[in-house]
Amino acid sequence: MEYIDRYRDPESIERLVAQIRAISRKQAKLMEVCGTHTVTIGRNGIREILPRHISLISGPGCPVCVTPVEAIDRAVALAQKQDVTIATFGDLIRVPGSETTLLRQRGEGADIRIVYSAYDALHLAQEDGGRQVVFLGIGFETTAPTVAAVIRRAKETGVRNFAVLSMHKVLPPALMALVESPQLGIDGFICPGHVTTIIGIEPYETIADDFHVPCVVAGFEPLDVLEAVGLLVRQIEMGEARVEIQYRRGVSPDGNPKARAVMEEVFEPCDSVWRGFGLLPKSGLRISDSYADFDATRKYEIAPVNPREPEGCICGDILRGLRQPPDCPLFQTTCRPDSPVGACMVSSEGTCAAYYKYYRR
Amino acid sequence: MADRAMPHVKTGRVTLDHGGGGRASRELVHRYFLPRFLNKILEKMDDSAVVDFPGRRLAMTTDSYVVDPIFFPGGDIGALAVNGTVNDLSAQGASPLFLSAAFILEEGFEIRDLEIVLGSMASAAREAGVSIVTGDTKVVPKGKGDKIYINTTGIGLIEEGIYVSGTGARPGDAVILTGSIGDHGIAVLSRREGLNFDTDLKSDSAPLNGLVREILSTTDGIHTMRDPTRGGVAATLNEIATQSGVGIRIDEAAIPVKDGVRSACEILGLDPLYVANEGKLLVILDSRDASGVLEKIRLNRYGRDGRIIGEVVADHPGRVVMRTRAGGTRIIDMPLGEQLPRIC
Amino acid sequence: MCLGIPMQIRRIDGNVAEAALSGTTRPVYLDILGEEVRVGDYVIVHAGFAIHKIDEREAGETLDLFREAGILDLDSGTDHGVH
């Protein structure tokens, strides 16, 4: 733990905050794109130790939050099939679909297992050839290559009772949708460290160069996030807009080409619906034809779903950074972690859940 | 309201969240059990019921143990079934005397494993100085249960002048935690199917009646004691804040967490404050007595890492707030249900 | 969005390594890791996969920066800029 603790040292934190205070003059609205940053900020109380004129808002970087109701409905439809075992990351199990959640389906008798890695799902299939295992593939470019690698392994080893329901998304189209939005009032992006580990920094260059918004790729410890805030503030004060990497121990500028290669071999881009953004062209990943046998949407008949989006929920504006959770009429009243209406309340790192947990007064 | 807005109680079926010790568990009990069984003793919702007999006060508690897996580093379901009930009595200020033990065994359960579990129960009872005086055994068909479930009920005696209760915390009180948190929960998770990790941790399962006796002999300023089991320190402090109508402030830097717990929590995306313990106590007491009691606690083998972790305040009643290491503050909320490993 | 934890490689067996963080160990898959790793190296682990070999030199420099004062001076040249 000493390895991690070095990035949590209270004295260094204090020093860094003092430096930020010393150089910061202008109002700065910074968006942390990634939900894991949201958690770091909340857990450590980072908003409160920063000067008041620096505000941190949470963006579209929680895969659970941006997964639309219809995707959950399809997962539920699969879970209801007789001999299908669903394997999923724990994150997804409480996300509300139109009518129900996977957790409730488990109560109804569906076989739903929580796994930590897509490999654990493949092993489930290999251990019991009589079960059809469907893994729910969710996540951005950090997670998609891990699932791609497992699908490739399944094909190589001739496993026939394993498939993936791909709900994967890629981040750059959502970022572009954000910066192209005329209402956007964001002065800098805290870019997601581990997505960048895979995709490299190239996608952010347009944002900095063409839209003149500074971008800093940040790690996930308190000192990482604070240093990224400091670097953004420095750019803002100097009127610059560049891409910087704060998280140099975890990111190479050109990313991880090997991971991208397997992702591109197994998946292909497709148009995809994001909760809060609607349909974004080429923002999703579907399983390519050469791996069609492992595509749950082609392997199983999934009855057409009729998604019912929750009424009154402003998740869409929250994910765009236009409004904050307290602006939502449902927040804390009908929408709470134990009775989520929108997906921003579902994941522990969703903007609304984080607000509810850490900042509710 | 749309059905989906209440996914936990209106489902018509029990979900695992109802057993997690958090909000969903509380809602289940308050909605379905309490209205039907309510009486003056039950409504206190303390760890043990306190019953007035002419001249004596008895404490009584019951708990069922369904842990999966039944064997884990540092203990098994048998030790847990004795220690858990002993600790619920102890936290009420009672000296545990008698236990009942009821078993539901699944057809096909190995006698060899049964013997190990019973052996642990016997030695746990010996260490705690309690007698198991009555019991019951039922066998259910294969698949209708999971190996072995144990229910224990305990009775203890409360000495004259001792009044501890979840409603007793007052502004100005100190909060003591008797040792490091999360050991039990992580030790159990490490043996659970599908997670695939190893740990050098052991469960902290232990009888705390000796420690409690020493605490109570030091002062009469003990207001509340609780053992933070399911839902961890976060759930227990929230319960106390709600029951006593006070705010609680704790300090992250003061809370002992072993590296093994922290590292497993980092990897699985969990928060140690929400992870279960089976051998720790939270003690809320008059702040004037805090250092003396802490000294006594630290002399006990189950209290060596004891610390003062916070204070009771008049602000934000019902709410638990933590000062973080980084110098900020955060709200420690009641957990929702079962803690699930996450990747995001 | 993507929990990634630094873990140290203890043993390597084909595409699987045993990796540790303090007292916690688990199998970690190397399928998508570009760099060669050896026992003792640190990797970032996400969902059971090593996704990056941690650059120890960069890690050291970041820590040095945290210890120093004045890393955010407005007129100091940036050593973080990538272009």
Side-chain angles (χ1 to χ4, degrees):
Chain A
M1 283 306 296
E2 193 234 331
Y3 201 83
I4 288 179
D5 287 341
R6 292 182 288 182
Y7 301 93
R8 298 178 182 178
D9 170 45
E11 277 176 31
S12 302
I13 288 174
E14 208 172 300
R15 216 156 40 224
L16 198 45
V17 170
Q19 287 172 45
I20 292 171
R21 284 184 188 280
I23 64 166
S24 175
R25 301 277 173 276
K26 297 180 186 161
Q27 291 278 336
K29 202 166 160 187
L30 310 179
M31 174 178 276
E32 83 271 1
V33 173
C34 175
T36 309
H37 281 142
T38 309
V39 173
T40 300
I41 290 163
R43 270 202 187 175
N44 293 284
I46 285 177
R47 268 189 187 82
E48 301 183 26
I49 56 179
L50 287 172
R52 282 191 179 276
H53 61 276
I54 299 178
S55 53
L56 300 177
I57 59 173
S58 311
C62 160
V64 168
C65 303
V66 296
T67 297
V69 165
E70 60 191 76
I72 302 298
D73 289 350
R74 272 195 294 273
V76 165
L78 275 171
Q80 286 167 343
K81 289 189 184 292
Q82 268 310 306
D83 54 334
V84 167
T85 296
I86 296 285
T88 177
F89 296 133
D91 313 58
L92 210 53
I93 198 150
R94 290 195 183 96
V95 184
S98 295
E99 303 293 340
T100 185
T101 65
L102 290 165
L103 183 69
R104 268 203 261 168
Q105 283 306 304
R106 191 156 74 173
E108 304 270 343
D111 187 3
I112 297 173
R113 318 274 182 95
I114 290 170
V115 293
Y116 177 75
S117 168
Y119 257 117
D120 297 337
L122 180 61
H123 293 152
L124 267 179
Q126 287 169 324
E127 281 157 21
D128 182 358
R131 294 297 292 183
Q132 294 291 324
V133 175
V134 176
F135 177 70
L136 304 181
I138 188 173
F140 294 111
E141 290 95 328
T142 322
T143 319
T146 72
V147 178
V150 168
I151 293 175
R152 188 174 64 186
R153 174 56 63 102
K155 188 176 182 182
E156 283 166 3
T157 49
V159 177
R160 304 191 62 88
N161 59 330
F162 176 76
V164 171
L165 180 67
S166 174
M167 300 181 251
H168 291 291
K169 294 194 182 325
V170 292
L171 204 59
L175 283 180
M176 289 316 292
L178 268 178
V179 289
E180 284 168 358
S181 154
Q183 302 146 292
L184 182 82
I186 289 169
D187 302 304
F189 283 108
I190 299 171
C191 295
H194 293 140
V195 162
T196 314
T197 300
I198 306 296
I199 68 175
I201 59 164
E202 192 245 305
Y204 311 124
E205 284 172 354
T206 316
I207 297 174
D209 296 346
D210 301 351
F211 295 90
H212 207 74
V213 183
C215 293
V216 173
V217 179
F220 297 91
E221 297 301 332
L223 275 169
D224 291 324
V225 173
L226 283 170
E227 191 189 7
V229 167
L231 293 171
L232 283 170
V233 165
R234 183 167 69 178
Q235 286 197 42
I236 292 165
E237 295 297 332
M238 297 173 79
E240 293 173 351
R242 288 179 292 115
V243 181
E244 290 183 88
I245 303 176
Q246 178 279 328
Y247 192 35
R248 289 182 299 160
R249 67 186 185 281
V251 167
S252 318
D254 61 345
N256 178 341
K258 188 173 176 185
R260 286 201 303 272
V262 61
M263 186 163 64
E264 282 156 19
E265 179 189 329
V266 174
F267 293 117
E268 60 191 26
C270 64
D271 298 347
S272 176
V273 175
W274 293 54
R275 194 187 288 251
F277 289 84
L279 187 83
L280 296 179
K282 305 282 176 215
S283 68
L285 294 174
R286 70 169 167 229
I287 294 172
S288 63
D289 290 346
S290 41
Y291 289 90
D293 291 349
F294 300 92
D295 185 349
T297 64
R298 289 188 255 194
K299 190 167 175 179
Y300 300 98
E301 192 84 30
I302 305 177
V305 294
N306 183 18
R308 206 157 44 89
E309 292 289 341
E311 281 166 35
C313 164
I314 64 162
C315 268
D317 283 354
I318 288 169
L319 290 171
R320 283 168 194 271
L322 297 178
R323 290 201 272 174
Q324 300 279 296
D327 299 333
C328 180
L330 306 186
F331 182 68
Q332 284 196 54
T333 53
T334 47
C335 186
R336 298 148 45 114
D338 51 348
S339 58
V341 178
C344 297
M345 188 60 94
V346 173
S347 162
S348 65
E349 64 181 83
T351 306
C352 294
Y355 255 87
Y356 186 92
K357 184 166 178 184
Y358 299 126
Y359 307 113
R360 185 167 43 115
R361 291 282 179 265
Chain B
M1 195 191 308
D3 178 45
R4 105 176 72 113
M6 297 288 288
H8 298 289
V9 164
K10 283 200 183 164
T11 62
R13 297 200 193 251
V14 170
T15 72
L16 279 181
D17 272 347
H18 289 125
R23 242 176 237 288
S25 302
R26 192 184 146 80
E27 211 173 314
L28 185 78
V29 169
H30 279 257
R31 190 159 170 160
Y32 296 103
F33 291 81
L34 281 189
R36 290 174 173 84
F37 300 146
L38 198 63
N39 58 56
K40 283 262 177 278
I41 297 168
L42 180 60
E43 75 182 5
K44 290 212 158 109
M45 291 295 289
D46 277 329
D47 277 351
S48 294
V50 180
V51 188
D52 266 318
F53 268 55
R56 307 308 296 261
R57 280 185 308 146
L58 289 180
M60 179 172 174
T61 190
T62 190
D63 215 333
S64 299
Y65 298 84
V66 297
V67 64
D68 166 39
I70 60 170
F71 298 108
F72 45 82
D76 60 35
I77 191 171
L80 220 52
V82 170
N83 290 336
T85 293
V86 163
N87 293 348
D88 276 349
L89 289 170
S90 306
Q92 208 58 47
S95 306
L97 298 174
F98 305 112
L99 257 52
S100 74
F103 300 82
I104 294 173
L105 305 176
E106 185 192 14
E107 178 189 22
F109 183 57
E110 291 201 33
I111 296 289
R112 197 184 44 189
D113 287 345
L114 180 63
E115 282 188 306
I116 298 174
V117 169
L118 295 177
S120 320
M121 288 183 81
S123 64
R126 215 165 19 247
E127 184 184 345
V130 296
S131 312
I132 297 172
V133 292
T134 181
D136 176 50
T137 305
K138 295 281 188 301
V139 178
V140 295
K142 193 161 184 66
K144 301 285 182 192
D146 188 8
K147 299 183 194 78
I148 177 170
Y149 301 144
I150 306 175
N151 170 278
T152 51
T153 295
I155 290 180
L157 206 54
I158 303 180
E159 296 295 327
E160 201 61 41
I162 291 170
Y163 293 94
V164 294
S165 163
T167 58
R170 300 170 207 164
D173 283 357
V175 181
I176 292 178
L177 173 66
T178 59
S180 71
I181 59 171
D183 301 42
H184 174 73
I186 297 298
V188 168
L189 268 186
S190 76
R191 287 295 175 275
R192 194 162 292 173
E193 202 181 28
L195 290 182
N196 221 350
F197 76 95
D198 272 319
T199 175
D200 53 11
L201 286 171
K202 287 189 167 64
S203 166
D204 59 350
S205 174
L208 298 175
N209 49 334
L211 177 63
V212 165
R213 202 162 41 235
E214 282 160 29
I215 292 171
L216 290 173
S217 69
T218 314
T219 167
D220 55 6
I222 307 294
H223 298 154
T224 301
M225 288 188 287
R226 276 279 159 92
D227 57 332
T229 54
R230 283 181 315 176
V233 164
T236 301
L237 288 180
N238 268 283
E239 282 166 16
I240 295 170
T242 303
Q243 283 183 279
S244 297
V246 294
I248 295 177
R249 257 186 225 148
I250 55 174
D251 187 356
E252 184 173 22
I255 299 171
V257 190
K258 287 183 185 142
D259 268 2
V261 171
R262 293 182 58 208
S263 56
C265 283
E266 291 290 337
I267 292 166
L268 299 172
L270 306 176
D271 184 337
L273 284 170
Y274 293 87
V275 179
N277 311 279
E278 289 291 346
K280 298 295 168 347
L281 265 185
L282 282 160
V283 184
I284 296 186
L285 73 172
D286 196 310
S287 60
R288 281 170 302 194
D289 299 326
S291 58
V293 168
L294 182 62
E295 214 170 289
K296 204 73 175 250
I297 286 173
R298 297 183 76 142
L299 290 173
N300 187 288
R301 64 185 286 217
Y302 297 127
R304 271 182 211 138
D305 297 324
R307 307 263 176 88
I308 295 172
I309 63 160
E311 57 181 344
V312 178
V313 295
D315 293 347
H316 53 78
R319 186 72 56 86
V320 181
V321 171
M322 182 165 84
R323 185 184 144 83
T324 69
R325 265 174 213 277
T329 56
R330 78 181 244 224
I331 290 167
I332 304 301
D333 212 356
M334 189 73 175
L336 172 56
E338 195 192 5
Q339 281 246 294
L340 299 172
R342 60 188 181 93
I343 58 119
C344 349
Chain C
M1 147 169 57
C2 306
L3 208 58
I5 304 302
M7 296 182 79
Q8 190 174 34
I9 303 281
R10 289 272 175 82
R11 223 171 25 164
I12 299 175
D13 181 12
N15 75 324
V16 193
E18 182 188 290
L21 176 66
S22 293
T24 307
T25 56
R26 68 153 283 135
V28 162
Y29 298 94
L30 304 175
D31 306 38
I32 62 170
L33 188 66
E35 304 95 336
E36 280 288 310
V37 282
R38 283 186 297 211
V39 170
D41 285 343
Y42 281 87
V43 290
I44 294 173
V45 176
H46 169 72
F49 281 77
I51 60 169
H52 183 81
K53 178 178 154 182
I54 293 178
D55 188 323
E56 289 290 323
R57 194 176 51 84
E58 296 283 14
E61 283 176 13
T62 302
L63 286 170
D64 289 344
L65 281 176
F66 290 145
R67 275 183 223 111
E68 288 164 18
I71 60 168
L72 294 173
D73 283 353
L74 285 182
D75 49 12
S76 79
T78 169
D79 48 7
H80 286 80
V82 288
H83 65 161

